[in-house]
Amino acid sequence: MAAYVRWFDSLTNKDVGIVGGKNASLGEMIRALKKKGVTIPNGFAITAEAYRYYLQYNDLEDRLRDLMGKLRPKDMSSLKRTGIAVRRLIADAQMPEDLQKEIVLAYKKLCGSKACDVAVRSSATAEDLPTASFAGQQETFLNVRGEKALLRACQKSMASLFTDRAIIYRIEKGFDHFDVALSVGVQKMIRSDKAVSGVAFSVDTETGFKDVVMIDAAYGLGESIVQGIVNPDEYFVFKPTLATGHAPIIKKRLGDKKIKIVYSSSKTHPVKKVAVPKKEQQRFCLSDTEILSLAQMVQTIDAYYSKLNKRWTPMDVEWAKDGTDGKLYIVQARPETVHGQAKQCVYTTHRLLKKPSQKIQLTSGLSIGSHIVSGIARVIQSAKDISKVKKGDIIITKMTDPDWVPVMKLAGGIITDLGGRTCHAAIVSRELDTPALVGTGDATKTIKNGTPITLDCSQGAVGYVYQGEIPYETDKINCDKVPKSPVPLMINIAAPEAAFGVSALPVDGVGLARVEYIIANSVKAHPMALLHPEKIKSARIKKQIESLTAAYSSNTDFFVDSLAQGMGTIAAAFYPRPVIVRLSDFKSNEYRNLIGGQYFEQEESNPMLGFRGASRYTHEQYQEAFCLELQAVRKARELMGLKNIKVMIPFVRTVDEAKGVIDLMASCGLKKGVDGLELVMMCEVPSNVLLIEQFAKYFDGFSIGSNDLTQLALGVDRDSALLADLFDERDPAVMKLFEIAITGAHAQKKYIGICGQAPSDYPEVAQFLISKGIDSISLNADSVIPFLLRQKKRG
């Protein structure tokens, strides 16, 4: 048996001390998961003992100790000088002849009859442990071909045990530099330079929501994502219904993918960056089948390691698609350490104390974390300038790389022009619990160096940078210590991107999911404009629609997919708790504001009382578009398997309208009672209250819409600033309607809840409804904890 080389398929997770965390993990997966459909390219590990032998053969340890003894860790220039000197000493030493022979022999066996290209990766003996891991401590070398190039890459890999970030990491974790050794992994390259590659996590990296697989994908070699030089495609797959045979792709976000890394013919630079053609940028780089296949492999890895460790172990996985054979491969997997540790349930909110004006917004991007922070902007154009960063500064740069880790630990926040949610800046910021904004596109140009700024990541998936220091507050609540609600408590939600975070609140489900938000923010175009682009006269608007829908085979596919994914994300976040999805309740003036809307909407003098709700759904001017909404509901319920979705119809003026909508829904494939489908009606027009026993024949339950019910009961336009003082849900007439509705619904043995604003704004309204026997109360997210704490005071 070879002394210094071990083939991956001979390794298990117990061999970390011999071949390091990455290589041991690869061996474990090849042995245990190959039969379960996880495909991993073969290779071999050069053991940690080979590294020790290499140092001993060249008599390096004393010289290394001497250099490290002079290091001043808090001095960036000292760290840089020491790191360079140590790495050079190791990389330029002589490879022992017997070790060379073993490596070359293994390489020939791996390649077969002719030289092949391999990836050379480091695998340290103290990395990828459940409590000790960091992104990119050591170096990776791609497209290494030939014996001489391989041996040189192995020496450089050994030297990378002393990268600046690895040195600092070991000091902070309390590891002795000379107790840690490095194994080198040699793995046959997957030709993703001709296809696609990326990273995947078996957890939502922002919120810790455990029921999704998150996948980032871009063209070419995977380093483009890790280095943050591209904004990748992003996909989310829901694990519980993936396991039941459904196809739950609950989110697809198109990245620009402008650059890819491919093979180069240069011996000194074996890879290069090239531009991606515009047409490819506008397409998703993975098919739905590939997304689901990859998610299945990631979930299999997660399940295996969770069983092995006897606790949930979310995984951080690198994958690649081979452009030659078209197959997907797993090339690395390690525990994800930010969310993998058992934590107390704490719900933390961050809130600006005043709303910033649009004038002081400097840029926006993808939020990493949910914090708010103020500090001095430190615009760093290159790594040479990182010594200028002071503790608490907010770093603004094009992108970060592993060499930046020491200085990132000083920063109050990180903002980058490039990158997606799994780029280096994002990964490290999460591990440091530092707020970050990535993929802004223009931060280094729009933010002035040395000026005070506020970075706000508290508003969901998109974060903002504002000029100046804006006051904010932070509140932490232990979820386990709030009292229980005296009535089932639901939540109102509009933004799917907020769903994973707020799903941790102690609520029984979603009482109102607003479809119009998804249409306005994800679809953006008027649905009839998508159905009938030939009616649009403006070339500019046509171009906007073409750009929106470029990744899809048809405009209708774009609409249905976008809407289904928005609904699906919310339903997945709360699964299996019920989620009541209210179909679109835009008014005609709001529909006109959508792209192309002016071609399909009349101008109404009072749109609040105009063409909206049930009357719109069944009208010939909108019926086609309504059926697209129903297709989206069917996709979320049937294809994604999210049967916890209930459907709510807003603004039903008459019983005949109710019957007409339900008949239309049935003709479009959504029939009450079939496959467990429940239909709910908004109770928001006085006629709904007065004739509730007749409406009850067509619906499974009701949800009081206090905003419209108040408006119509008091004859007050709720949008009128002049009449704002008269609009009050606590008015006796409105409270009487609440009571009649509850009594009437219960008399028909129907469920009735409330999803209007009143209980969120007025505690006395909530208490009145509870006293009258309301079946549930649905609140805005920021009202849930205060509502529950008030119950404690009453107790």
Side-chain angles (χ1 to χ4, degrees):
M1 183 178 177
Y4 299 119
V5 168
R6 291 281 301 272
W7 288 90
F8 288 159
D9 58 11
S10 72
L11 301 171
T12 72
N13 67 316
K14 295 178 181 177
D15 293 318
V16 173
I18 299 171
V19 295
K22 288 189 185 76
N23 289 336
S25 179
L26 283 169
E28 182 73 28
M29 289 191 296
I30 288 173
R31 288 163 63 98
L33 301 181
K34 189 176 180 181
K35 292 179 181 178
K36 295 184 178 182
V38 178
T39 313
I40 300 165
N42 201 9
F44 59 89
I46 301 161
T47 64
E49 189 56 38
Y51 166 81
R52 296 188 182 97
Y53 172 43
Y54 180 85
L55 296 190
Q56 182 186 15
Y57 179 86
N58 290 284
D59 197 22
L60 293 180
E61 188 167 328
D62 288 344
R63 283 183 282 171
L64 292 172
R65 286 186 181 275
D66 182 57
L67 284 168
M68 294 301 295
K70 297 174 183 176
L71 170 67
R72 298 190 302 278
K74 294 183 179 180
D75 183 336
M76 290 293 120
S77 58
S78 171
L79 175 64
K80 192 171 183 179
R81 283 195 308 273
T82 302
I84 289 171
V86 169
R87 292 192 295 275
R88 184 176 294 150
L89 191 61
I90 298 172
D92 292 345
Q94 186 177 350
M95 179 76 79
E97 190 173 340
D98 55 339
L99 180 54
Q100 284 189 49
K101 286 181 179 178
E102 281 199 40
I103 295 170
V104 169
L105 188 64
Y107 174 66
K108 287 180 176 179
K109 184 178 177 182
L110 179 66
C111 295
S113 58
K114 60 180 182 178
C116 63
D117 43 313
V118 294
V120 177
R121 293 185 172 91
S122 63
S123 181
T125 56
E127 71 177 353
D128 297 335
L129 306 176
T131 57
S133 179
F134 222 111
Q137 283 188 45
Q138 283 87 40
E139 303 293 348
T140 293
F141 304 92
L142 303 175
N143 188 21
V144 177
R145 177 181 285 268
E147 298 166 14
K148 186 177 178 181
L150 173 60
L151 293 171
R152 185 62 186 149
C154 288
Q155 289 175 289
K156 288 182 178 180
S157 183
M158 290 178 179
S160 74
L161 186 62
F162 287 90
T163 57
D164 296 354
R165 67 263 186 191
I167 291 169
I168 290 295
Y169 176 78
R170 287 194 294 271
I171 290 171
E172 291 185 345
K173 289 292 182 182
F175 291 116
D176 187 296
H177 296 293
F178 298 95
D179 285 346
V180 179
L182 189 133
S183 167
V184 179
V186 179
Q187 191 176 39
K188 208 164 186 178
M189 281 288 291
I190 300 302
R191 293 303 304 267
S192 59
D193 62 303
K194 296 181 175 182
V196 185
S197 61
V199 294
F201 292 83
S202 61
V203 63
D204 174 44
T205 53
E206 295 313 306
T207 63
F209 182 69
K210 65 190 293 185
D211 283 340
V212 288
V213 172
M214 172 186 168
I215 300 167
D216 274 8
Y219 298 112
L221 301 173
E223 289 299 294
S224 64
I225 292 179
V226 177
Q227 291 176 14
I229 64 172
V230 295
N231 296 325
D233 290 348
E234 187 176 65
Y235 313 109
F236 283 81
V237 179
F238 186 51
K239 291 191 283 192
T241 57
L242 179 68
T244 57
H246 292 87
I249 303 172
I250 59 171
K251 180 179 178 182
K252 289 167 70 174
R253 185 187 68 84
L254 189 70
D256 57 31
K257 311 179 293 293
K258 291 180 179 179
I259 300 290
K260 64 178 175 179
I261 298 177
V262 299
Y263 280 16
S264 164
S265 57
S266 167
K267 291 183 179 179
T268 53
H269 298 92
V271 297
K272 62 182 179 181
K273 298 171 188 172
V274 298
V276 174
K278 189 72 174 177
K279 283 188 176 180
E280 290 183 26
Q281 292 178 36
Q282 293 177 332
R283 291 200 304 259
F284 291 113
C285 59
L286 286 178
S287 69
D288 285 2
T289 301
E290 289 170 332
I291 294 166
L292 294 167
S293 177
L294 188 54
Q296 190 65 66
M297 283 197 275
V298 173
Q299 175 56 4
T300 299
I301 295 168
D302 174 297
Y304 179 76
Y305 275 94
S306 297
K307 185 177 180 181
L308 200 66
N309 296 328
K310 296 181 180 177
R311 61 172 179 79
W312 178 51
T313 305
M315 299 299 289
D316 170 356
V317 175
E318 291 184 32
W319 60 270
K321 178 183 175 182
D322 194 300
T324 306
D325 65 18
K327 294 180 180 178
L328 292 165
Y329 294 87
I330 303 299
V331 295
Q332 279 195 58
R334 64 180 73 83
E336 191 276 353
T337 57
V338 175
H339 300 292
Q341 305 304 307
K343 295 176 183 176
Q344 192 178 45
C345 175
V346 176
Y347 184 73
T348 304
T349 59
H350 309 266
R351 185 173 66 88
L352 294 173
L353 292 177
K354 65 176 183 178
K355 187 177 181 179
S357 71
Q358 194 70 29
K359 291 181 181 178
I360 65 169
Q361 182 181 313
L362 300 176
T363 191
S364 62
L366 299 174
S367 288
I368 307 300
S370 59
H371 300 3
I372 302 173
V373 65
S374 295
I376 299 299
R378 196 63 60 198
V379 181
I380 304 296
Q381 298 294 354
S382 77
K384 296 177 183 177
D385 300 324
I386 59 177
S387 59
K388 296 178 181 177
V389 177
K390 297 176 182 176
K391 189 171 180 61
D393 285 353
I394 299 176
I395 295 173
I396 297 95
T397 187
K398 286 187 181 299
M399 69 185 87
T400 67
D401 63 42
D403 289 329
W404 287 59
V405 171
V407 77
M408 290 171 77
K409 294 181 179 182
L410 296 173
I414 313 288
I415 302 170
T416 68
D417 286 348
L418 304 173
R421 294 191 185 281
T422 52
C423 71
H424 179 267
I427 292 171
V428 173
S429 295
R430 284 187 203 101
E431 299 203 25
L432 296 174
D433 197 27
T434 300
L437 205 63
V438 299
T440 62
D442 60 1
T444 55
K445 295 177 182 177
T446 58
I447 301 173
K448 190 175 179 181
N449 184 50
T451 59
I453 58 172
T454 298
L455 169 58
D456 178 12
C457 293
S458 70
Q459 299 184 47
V462 178
Y464 303 90
V465 181
Y466 301 106
Q467 183 181 319
E469 294 189 10
I470 300 173
Y472 62 92
E473 65 179 8
T474 300
D475 193 19
K476 292 187 177 182
I477 302 289
N478 186 330
C479 303
D480 300 324
K481 292 187 177 179
V482 295
K484 290 186 176 181
S485 172
V487 66
L489 201 59
M490 312 282 271
I491 198 169
N492 297 333
I493 189 168
E497 57 267 25
F500 293 159
V502 299
S503 68
L505 286 167
V507 295
D508 296 284
V510 174
L512 172 63
R514 298 181 176 94
V515 159
E516 56 270 14
Y517 178 95
I518 303 167
I519 294 174
N521 291 276
S522 296
V523 177
K524 300 180 182 178
H526 194 291
M528 292 300 288
L530 296 172
L531 283 162
H532 294 286
E534 73 280 359
K535 295 184 179 181
I536 297 171
K537 308 302 181 186
S538 165
R540 179 184 59 83
I541 292 176
K542 284 185 176 180
K543 194 171 181 179
Q544 277 183 286
I545 291 175
E546 286 170 7
S547 177
L548 279 171
T549 62
Y552 289 85
S553 57
S554 71
N555 290 357
T556 55
D557 282 351
F558 163 71
F559 180 88
V560 171
D561 237 30
S562 300
L563 197 52
Q565 288 165 22
M567 295 176 189
T569 297
I570 296 171
F574 290 85
Y575 187 88
R577 291 171 286 178
V579 170
I580 300 175
V581 172
R582 184 182 70 187
L583 299 178
S584 62
D585 192 25
F586 277 137
K587 289 76 181 172
S588 56
N589 58 325
E590 293 167 328
Y591 267 116
R592 280 183 66 85
N593 289 333
L594 297 174
I595 295 170
Q598 65 267 42
Y599 295 99
F600 301 93
E601 297 292 335
Q602 298 176 10
E603 290 195 56
E604 295 184 291
S605 57
N606 192 348
M608 193 70 77
L609 297 180
F611 192 39
R612 61 179 289 204
S615 59
R616 172 180 281 270
Y617 298 161
T618 55
H619 197 282
E620 61 182 11
Q621 288 186 25
Y622 194 78
Q623 191 175 122
E624 277 183 281
F626 178 64
C627 287
L628 287 187
E629 287 188 40
L630 301 181
Q631 281 186 45
V633 174
R634 288 189 65 184
K635 185 163 190 174
R637 280 180 52 86
E638 297 167 18
L639 189 68
M640 298 179 185
L642 297 163
K643 302 292 173 62
N644 57 327
I645 290 176
K646 301 181 181 184
V647 175
M648 183 152 69
I649 308 299
F651 221 76
V652 184
R653 294 176 169 98
T654 69
V655 176
D656 284 344
E657 273 190 351
K659 183 179 184 304
V661 168
I662 286 179
D663 288 346
L664 178 57
M665 291 179 70
S667 72
C668 291
L670 276 177
K671 190 171 184 180
K672 185 169 79 79
V674 175
D675 212 11
L677 176 65
E678 292 186 27
L679 299 184
V680 180
M681 190 188 88
M682 288 286 285
C683 184
E684 55 189 343
V685 182
S687 61
N688 302 157
V689 179
L690 296 171
L691 299 178
I692 198 162
E693 72 283 352
Q694 293 184 44
F695 284 104
K697 296 174 184 176
Y698 297 98
F699 294 94
D700 296 292
F702 300 92
S703 183
I704 297 171
S706 58
N707 294 349
D708 272 317
L709 192 57
T710 302
Q711 172 179 244
L712 297 172
L714 300 179
V716 175
D717 182 350
R718 74 190 210 205
D719 284 347
S720 171
L722 291 172
L723 302 177
D725 290 343
L726 294 174
F727 186 90
D728 191 339
E729 296 96 325
R730 297 168 296 180
D731 186 276
V734 180
M735 299 285 266
K736 186 67 176 176
L737 286 171
F738 291 163
E739 183 178 1
I740 295 170
I742 294 168
T743 303
H746 286 166
Q748 301 301 314
K749 296 183 170 52
K750 299 289 182 177
Y751 153 96
I752 185 165
I754 185 168
C755 64
Q757 187 69 24
S760 293
D761 290 345
Y762 304 117
E764 60 269 41
V765 172
Q767 291 310 307
F768 174 80
L769 293 167
I770 292 169
S771 72
K772 297 302 176 184
I774 194 88
D775 292 312
S776 72
I777 292 177
S778 194
L779 303 172
N780 298 332
D782 59 359
S783 300
V784 169
I785 297 298
F787 173 84
L788 291 172
L789 292 176
R790 283 197 297 270
Q791 307 315 306
K792 185 176 182 179
K793 289 179 182 177
R794 286 191 178 86

